[in-house]
């Protein structure tokens, strides 16, 4: 069983920064891949960034150089540092995990709203 909680969303001005956090809790599970997806208004969910247990990362071209994904394997937590935010970054951001121990993969968080506007 696993529970996934996201936090850190909010309203920021263009050019600003925001840090999203994801915490997995429970017992008897192991996370192999953590990541972040987002869903802009009226659009489908899209990949933002992913990170493996070994620290290998991949980013969407639209965020590369501006966003940084990280994780703490021991604490089962992850973060997405977002810098130089643009209005087009406005979306609901979802934490994503893939692994073992909760009877189904992948697993998604509830989402947190990020709004970039002046």
């Amino acid at each position: 069983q696993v529970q996934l909680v996201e936090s850190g969303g909010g309203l920021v001005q263009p050019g600003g920064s925001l840090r999203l956090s994801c915490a997995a809790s429970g017992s008897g599970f192991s996370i192999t891949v953590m990541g972040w997806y987002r869903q802009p208004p009226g659009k489908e969910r899209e990949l933002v960034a992913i990170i493996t247990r070994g620290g290998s990362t991949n980013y969407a071209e639209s965020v590369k150089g501006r966003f940084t994904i990280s994780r703490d394997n021991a604490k089962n937590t992850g973060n997405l540092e977002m810098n130089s935010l643009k209005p087009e970054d406005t979306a609901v951001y979802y934490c994503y995990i893939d692994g073992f121990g909760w009877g189904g993969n992948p697993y998604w968080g509830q989402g947190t709203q990020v709004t970039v506007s002046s």
Side-chain angles (χ1 to χ4, degrees):
Q1 183 176 328
V2 67
Q3 188 172 22
L4 200 58
V5 179
E6 302 152 346
S7 62
L11 174 64
V12 296
Q13 296 186 18
S17 299
L18 201 63
R19 185 182 186 182
L20 304 183
S21 297
C22 177
S25 62
S27 62
F29 68 88
S30 179
I31 300 171
T32 56
V33 176
M34 296 190 75
W36 294 87
Y37 285 71
R38 68 186 182 187
Q39 187 168 16
K43 300 179 66 177
E44 295 186 358
R45 193 174 300 183
E46 62 185 16
L47 173 69
V48 177
I50 56 172
I51 183 169
T52 68
R53 286 188 61 86
S56 179
T57 59
N58 291 97
Y59 296 90
E61 288 297 322
S62 60
V63 307
K64 196 169 186 177
R66 300 188 297 120
F67 291 11
T68 302
I69 188 172
S70 62
R71 66 184 290 181
D72 187 326
N73 294 333
K75 297 180 179 179
N76 286 318
T77 59
N79 295 289
L80 182 69
E81 186 73 36
M82 304 184 294
N83 300 309
S84 301
L85 284 163
K86 305 174 181 179
E88 50 262 44
D89 294 319
T90 296
V92 177
Y93 284 70
Y94 297 89
C95 182
Y96 163 96
I97 59 171
D98 200 356
F100 308 92
W102 56 84
N105 294 314
Y107 192 83
W108 302 85
Q110 82 285 354
T112 184
Q113 177 70 48
V114 172
T115 302
V116 185
S117 177
S118 60

